[in-house]
């Protein structure tokens, strides 16, 4: 199945472009601590070179403290990717657990779990994250926990719907007849057959989470300074948008291209993994 899905995926030009961009971004983020000295190149100040326009010496220019913007954007990809992936996988664990229990047992269990999920789903994820970060304090870990709440509600709804379509299949009833415990049936026979919508949702949700994390950092309640998270770079550049507009444009393009690449890959995965969505 995965070989067939891969063949369909690589025929989609958009998904291939998205994959190439994401691979380059991940590699750049991984090698950034080797290429750049964090204390000197990323957060070190040089006031004699402040607000220099992009050029050969500084490809993306410098900020108000003379820090190289190229080094900060590349290094900042680590924060955005870690927050996006970490938050989604935390939400995936919680949402998969809640969604499988609600979809498998149904009845009162389903009603209790899904009404709680609906409450969180109805509140904008930015608002939920603002409240949680305000309560727990500003840090990268707390930001990931806050964003994981909104991810969990999305995964719970998707997993519940997938489990409800599978729980009455004959192989599930055969597993019960063989005496397998419920948890083993869910883990070994039901969840593996729900992977297609989960994989697609993971890809799309990472992009949404990166935007949310950047929004919170832009508001000053995300990753604490002087960490070069993309939202924080946007926030620092807004006061110089007239005399040094590149300080906003470049981090904004980094966010936009990353989310676009994730969406292109997600669309390709949806078409490849879900036969109902194929054109």
């Amino acid at each position: 199945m995965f070989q067939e899905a891969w063949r369909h995926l690589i025929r989609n030009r958009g998904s291939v472009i998205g994959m190439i961009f994401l691979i380059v971004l991940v590699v750049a983020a991984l090698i950034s601590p080797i290429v750049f000295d964090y204390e000197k190149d990323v957060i070190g100040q040089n006031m004699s070179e402040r607000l220099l326009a992009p050029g050969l010496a500084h490809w993306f220019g410098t900020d108000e403290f003379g820090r190289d913007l190229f080094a900060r954007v590349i290094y900042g990809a680590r924060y955005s990717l870690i927050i996006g992936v970490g938050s989604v996988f935390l939400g995936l664990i919680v949402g998969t657990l809640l969604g499988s229990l609600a979809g498998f047992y149904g009845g009162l269990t389903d009603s209790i779990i899904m009404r709680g999920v609906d409450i969180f789903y109805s509140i904008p994820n930015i608002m939920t994250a603002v409240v949680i970060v305000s309560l727990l304090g500003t840090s990268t870990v707390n930001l990931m926990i806050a964003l994981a709440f909104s991810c969990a509600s999305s995964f719970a709804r998707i997993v519940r719907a997938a489990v409800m379509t599978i729980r009455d299949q004959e192989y599930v009833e055969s597993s019960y007849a063989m005496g397998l415990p419920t948890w083993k049936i869910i883990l070994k026979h039901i969840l593996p057959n729900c992977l297609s919508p989960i994989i697609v949702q993971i890809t799309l949700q990472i992009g949404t989470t990166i935007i949310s994390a950047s929004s919170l950092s832009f508001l000053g309640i995300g990753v604490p300074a002087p960490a070069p998270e993309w939202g924080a770079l946007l926030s620092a550049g807004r006061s110089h948008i007239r005399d040094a507009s590149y300080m906003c444009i470049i981090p904004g393009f980094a966010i936009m291209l990353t989310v676009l690449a994730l969406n292109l890959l997600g669309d390709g995965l949806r078409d490849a993994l879900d036969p109902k969505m194929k054109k």
Side-chain angles (χ1 to χ4, degrees):
M1 182 185 68
F2 285 104
Q3 291 178 351
E4 182 68 21
W6 174 254
R7 283 195 291 268
H8 282 284
L9 186 63
I10 60 176
R11 291 174 190 159
N12 188 316
R13 292 183 180 179
S15 61
V16 172
I17 293 172
M19 272 194 298
I20 293 174
F21 178 85
L22 291 173
I23 290 172
V24 172
L25 182 65
V26 170
V27 171
L30 289 175
I31 67 174
S32 59
I34 302 173
V35 177
F36 303 112
D37 185 336
Y38 183 77
E39 297 294 333
K40 179 182 177 182
D41 300 324
V42 179
I43 64 173
Q45 300 182 11
N46 185 1
M47 300 303 291
S48 63
E49 295 186 348
R50 65 186 303 270
L51 299 179
L52 294 180
L56 294 178
H58 302 282
W59 292 357
F60 290 173
T62 61
D63 63 8
E64 70 273 25
F65 297 110
R67 298 174 295 197
D68 186 76
L69 197 58
F70 177 75
R72 288 175 63 77
V73 169
I74 299 299
Y75 207 97
R78 295 169 58 86
Y79 292 93
S80 295
L81 292 175
I82 288 173
I83 292 171
V85 174
S87 301
V88 168
F89 275 94
L90 284 175
L92 173 64
I93 294 171
V94 177
T96 301
L97 176 62
L98 295 177
S100 15
L101 290 175
F104 189 82
Y105 287 106
L108 182 61
T109 302
D110 181 29
S111 298
I112 293 174
I113 292 176
M114 295 314 297
R115 294 302 75 75
V117 168
D118 289 341
I119 291 173
F120 276 102
Y121 198 77
S122 63
I123 303 173
N125 56 355
I126 292 292
M127 186 179 299
T128 305
V130 167
V131 173
I132 295 174
V133 171
S134 301
L135 292 175
L136 298 180
T138 303
S139 71
T140 304
V141 175
N142 291 341
L143 180 60
M144 290 171 59
I145 294 173
L147 294 173
F149 274 87
S150 59
C151 297
S153 59
S154 299
F155 283 115
R157 294 164 68 94
I158 289 173
V159 172
R160 171 183 175 268
V163 169
M164 289 181 70
T165 62
I166 295 172
R167 66 181 180 183
D168 295 327
Q169 297 292 322
E170 292 181 357
Y171 64 86
V172 177
E173 296 179 359
S174 300
S175 301
Y176 259 123
M178 294 171 60
L180 290 179
T182 302
W183 66 268
K184 187 173 288 188
I185 294 174
I186 294 175
L187 288 178
K188 287 193 173 184
H189 298 289
I190 294 182
L191 287 182
N193 289 287
C194 303
L195 284 179
S196 295
I198 292 175
I199 291 173
V200 174
Q201 183 64 18
I202 286 173
T203 309
L204 299 175
Q205 195 69 44
I206 290 175
T208 303
T209 305
I210 288 176
I211 293 177
S212 299
S214 300
S215 302
L216 292 172
S217 295
F218 183 83
L219 297 174
I221 54 176
V223 179
E229 199 274 333
W230 288 341
L233 295 181
L234 273 174
S235 180
R238 61 182 172 176
S239 59
H240 298 278
I241 194 168
R242 296 196 178 192
D243 57 333
S245 58
Y246 60 87
M247 289 179 60
C248 289
I249 294 174
I250 293 174
F253 263 104
I255 297 170
M256 183 191 73
L257 292 176
T258 303
V259 175
L260 178 60
L262 286 164
N263 287 339
L264 289 173
L265 180 58
D267 288 341
L269 286 170
R270 181 194 61 197
D271 295 341
L273 294 173
D274 192 345
K276 297 179 182 178
M277 300 297 295
K278 289 180 183 178
K279 299 178 182 179

